[in-house]
Amino acid sequence: MNDRDDPQRIRLLIADDEHLIRGALEALLGLEPDIEVVASADNGATAAELAQEFQPDICLLDLEMPRMDGVEAAARILSTVKTRVIIVTRHARPGVLRRALASKVSGFVPKSTPAEDLAHVIRDVAGGKRYIDPEIAATALAAERCPLTDRELDALRFSRSTSSVSQVAEQLRLAPGTVRNYLSSAMMKLGAVSRHDAAEKAWQQGWI
């Protein structure tokens, strides 16, 4: 029987922009008898394209990737592909967990997770379960309540990586005037002197 036709075999896509880490995950997880690595990518946009092509059972996505981060890639993949997504991250910020859960991500684990444990998480998620690392969940529960709306948080998040309001508006598919309103509201709530100051304060609180 071809591996693609084996119902017991979990077909896995891996995306991580760090070549050594991606290669290690491919090698170690590929040794598991019930896991087959069918594709890999070094950025979120390519991961979304490969998910369409290979239709994996599980997508293992690094959070911080160029072109499109792991949560954005997850949202795009899950809108068109029948799969489940696990996010791997070094920085378990509460705001990122919130975004991930809103995007229907099924797993959230730290990058320090040993390959053997990660394989168990992959099996659980493939079986329909959800897995959130206990320390990440505890940090999120203990975080200070965020006074900002989801749209205000989105505008601040993109403000950290783009230089102009028009670029933020393009990323969010909103009018520049609407984005300015979100940013002004966020600045007022946080007592910030600029959108960059507001974004930094939101980042320090773990909201974005």
Side-chain angles (χ1 to χ4, degrees):
M1 179 186 293
N2 188 294
D3 286 341
R4 288 174 177 271
D5 301 322
D6 185 351
Q8 302 303 315
R9 204 165 178 83
I10 300 168
R11 303 177 73 250
L12 179 69
L13 179 151
I14 298 174
D16 194 310
D17 63 324
E18 295 184 71
H19 177 74
L20 290 176
I21 291 177
R22 188 174 73 255
L25 286 173
E26 288 180 40
L28 293 171
L29 292 174
L31 292 174
E32 298 291 331
D34 57 344
I35 296 176
E36 176 189 6
V37 180
V38 296
S40 68
D42 62 3
N43 67 81
T46 300
E49 294 168 0
L50 290 174
Q52 285 272 7
E53 179 180 353
F54 288 92
Q55 301 285 311
D57 300 305
I58 300 290
C59 295
L60 185 67
L61 308 179
D62 182 29
L63 173 64
E64 297 180 359
M65 293 188 288
R67 296 181 63 192
M68 186 184 294
D69 74 20
V71 177
E72 292 172 275
R76 179 170 297 187
I77 290 168
L78 291 169
S79 68
T80 57
V81 180
K82 189 177 181 180
T83 185
R84 297 173 74 82
V85 173
I86 300 169
I87 295 289
V88 184
T89 180
R90 278 200 180 92
H91 307 291
R93 307 181 68 76
V96 174
L97 177 58
R98 178 188 59 81
R99 286 177 56 217
L101 294 176
S103 298
K104 309 302 183 186
V105 165
S106 299
F108 206 93
V109 298
K111 243 179 180 178
S112 57
T113 304
E116 183 179 353
D117 293 344
L118 187 55
H120 288 305
V121 173
I122 289 170
R123 292 185 186 103
D124 283 346
V125 170
K129 297 179 182 178
R130 264 191 166 184
Y131 179 84
I132 307 296
D133 177 76
E135 288 190 18
I136 294 176
T139 300
L141 288 171
E144 182 179 340
R145 183 181 177 278
C146 178
L148 305 177
T149 66
D150 286 345
R151 276 307 196 182
E152 289 166 352
L153 289 168
D154 286 341
L156 291 180
R157 180 165 53 85
F158 282 109
S159 288
R160 297 191 77 246
S161 58
T162 54
S163 58
S164 70
V165 171
S166 61
Q167 288 175 316
V168 176
E170 184 178 349
Q171 292 280 352
L172 293 176
R173 295 184 174 86
L174 296 171
T178 301
V179 171
R180 287 191 188 92
N181 289 338
Y182 286 135
L183 290 170
S184 295
S185 176
M187 288 165 55
M188 183 173 64
K189 290 177 181 178
L190 299 179
V193 297
S194 69
R195 65 186 176 93
H196 296 294
D197 181 36
E200 183 61 25
K201 288 185 176 184
W203 172 258
Q204 292 296 336
Q205 290 292 339
W207 297 332
I208 58 176

